[in-house]
Amino acid sequence: METVGTVAQLHTAVTKGFALRETQSIQVTPSGIVGNRDFFLVDVDEHLYSVPRDPIFLGYWTSYDPLLNLFQVGRGAAIECADQVRAAGPVRRFRFDERTVDGRWVPGPWDAFISDVAGRNLRLVRCARPGGGGDIHPVTILSTASLASLGTEADGQPVDVRRFRLNLTLDVGTTPFREDTWTGRSITVGNCVLRLRGGIPRCVAVENRPHDGDRALQVQRRIREVRGATPSRWGPSVLFGAYADVVLSGRVKVGDPVQLAT
């Protein structure tokens, strides 16, 4: 094993499409990060309602306390609504673009609140299995060097890593996109082992700066300028960050070493 760096930041989102929240540690299982994307929103057609469709909830956070069975929606330091989770009815299938995800309705005060914010009828759903609302692979990573390669926002501020909605930000040196060279290889992070599965195609969701929705940077264009052509299994794509599968469950903390299998 070669020690190549450390864990710089960790982010999760209890509800798909809501603000990422920084944390100091995560528990990783084969299905993904415990508590990450266990809830999602659907519209009246029972289709996923998330950032590519409307970034309005990027300024709102959600939390779920399994011991109290308490779900909360908030903005900044304020809790806007909160109640216990009472999943209703049988497991149903909901449309996530090219795939479907099984879940149950979660009636509560948040339905009225989120519908009022969005200006349309929305409902909260809980995944039938932990991590069911995740992407193609259960964990996502990015290096600090890759983020730095994008430069700054139009107003001169550093590019916010939360734009990319990734879980693990790793400090593995000054070479951008080093994580892309690890496809098919394993890394040990804390006491968790991940196998890298290739780059992540970016959609319009990255165009929205998390805290204010500003779109001046044109992030997809910036990535293309920095990286050039990036072929992938999906064809020519705008790739940024990398997918990973879980080989060995474990806990990951900020500051943990990152070791690359040789």
Side-chain angles (χ1 to χ4, degrees):
M1 302 289 286
E2 175 191 2
T3 300
V4 293
T6 59
V7 177
Q9 288 180 295
L10 298 168
H11 290 95
T12 61
V14 169
T15 306
K16 193 173 179 70
F18 282 70
L20 290 182
R21 305 186 81 184
E22 190 169 0
T23 183
Q24 293 300 300
S25 68
I26 55 174
Q27 183 67 36
V28 183
T29 72
S31 62
I33 297 168
V34 173
N36 186 54
R37 294 186 176 185
D38 280 347
F39 297 82
F40 58 92
L41 301 182
V42 294
D43 59 20
V44 293
D45 295 322
E46 300 189 357
H47 287 188
L48 173 70
Y49 191 80
S50 193
V51 180
R53 297 187 64 184
D54 190 344
I56 194 167
F57 293 109
L58 288 178
Y60 292 84
W61 53 264
T62 61
S63 67
Y64 175 67
D65 185 330
L67 295 179
L68 299 177
N69 192 31
L70 180 67
F71 184 87
Q72 299 181 119
V73 182
R75 185 180 178 96
I79 298 172
E80 303 287 350
C81 60
D83 202 351
Q84 290 191 316
V85 170
R86 302 175 182 85
V91 171
R92 304 177 61 179
R93 187 158 290 176
F94 298 91
R95 172 63 60 182
F96 271 40
D97 299 323
E98 302 301 320
R99 63 191 175 100
T100 57
V101 171
D102 290 338
R104 288 187 175 92
W105 298 119
V106 185
W110 35 77
D111 281 355
F113 174 75
I114 60 180
S115 296
D116 183 62
V117 171
R120 64 182 69 193
N121 290 327
L122 301 175
R123 298 182 72 178
L124 183 70
V125 178
R126 186 176 189 180
C127 296
R129 64 174 181 83
D135 290 327
I136 298 171
H137 298 278
V139 178
T140 53
I141 73 169
L142 178 69
S143 71
T144 54
S146 298
L147 181 66
S149 74
L150 299 185
T152 62
E153 301 273 357
D155 60 6
Q157 296 296 312
V159 175
D160 191 333
V161 69
R162 296 174 301 165
R163 273 186 182 269
F164 306 100
R165 307 194 64 74
L166 304 177
N167 306 129
L168 281 69
T169 304
L170 309 179
D171 183 352
V172 291
T174 59
T175 302
F177 313 113
R178 188 179 182 188
E179 60 272 27
D180 290 350
T181 69
W182 298 339
T183 299
R185 300 177 69 181
S186 295
I187 59 172
T188 298
V189 189
N191 59 4
C192 172
V193 180
L194 306 174
R195 179 167 291 119
L196 277 293
R197 291 304 191 188
I200 302 172
R202 308 316 313 215
C203 66
V204 296
V206 301
E207 301 297 339
N208 304 281
R209 187 162 61 179
H211 71 276
D212 61 4
D214 183 83
R215 296 171 62 92
L217 179 57
Q218 299 182 40
V219 174
Q220 290 172 300
R221 178 179 178 180
R222 178 71 63 83
I223 296 171
R224 287 193 296 268
E225 290 172 348
V226 170
R227 299 208 64 180
T230 49
S232 74
R233 60 181 135 156
W234 297 279
S237 302
V238 179
L239 301 182
F240 198 74
Y243 285 123
D245 287 333
V246 181
V247 178
L248 181 66
S249 300
R251 181 162 292 279
V252 179
K253 304 186 301 296
V254 171
D256 276 347
V258 178
Q259 296 179 304
L260 178 65
T262 56

